[in-house]
Amino acid sequence: QLVRDILDNLSESVVAIDTEYGLLSFNTQFEQWFEQAFEVKPFIGMHLLEILQKVPHELETVGSYWKRALSGESFRVQREFG
């Protein structure tokens, strides 16, 4: 619960995904952003690439960020979505 409280009090979105781009964990900021961006409430196990297909111009960009992260690269992205 302590880790959850810390993550939920960050001003940044935090999300953990598996190698199939399924949601493993996320904080409140990610949940709020996701709902606003996609009009869908995120849930554990949701496959993010399926949702991103609804926004094709973002699929390649955001998908490439996740691919980099899953390959072990450490980086930070700050941008507006949409």
Side-chain angles (χ1 to χ4, degrees), residues 6-73:
I6 292 169
L7 291 175
D8 282 342
N9 283 294
L10 294 174
S11 61
E12 299 168 326
S13 292
V14 177
V15 60
I17 61 172
D18 62 27
T19 57
E20 301 293 319
Y21 300 93
L23 281 176
L24 296 174
S25 182
F26 50 86
N27 69 353
T28 300
Q29 288 69 19
F30 176 84
E31 182 176 19
Q32 292 170 351
W33 167 81
F34 193 92
E35 283 188 76
Q36 182 179 20
F38 298 107
E39 299 176 349
V40 173
K41 187 173 180 73
F43 57 88
I44 301 304
M46 173 183 271
H47 290 275
L48 297 178
L49 293 183
E50 290 176 15
I51 300 300
L52 272 179
Q53 289 176 3
K54 297 177 182 180
V55 190
H57 64 280
E58 291 290 344
L59 177 61
E60 186 175 335
T61 301
V62 176
S64 72
Y65 296 154
W66 291 333
K67 185 176 181 178
R68 288 171 58 192
L70 289 171
S71 73
E73 183 179 346

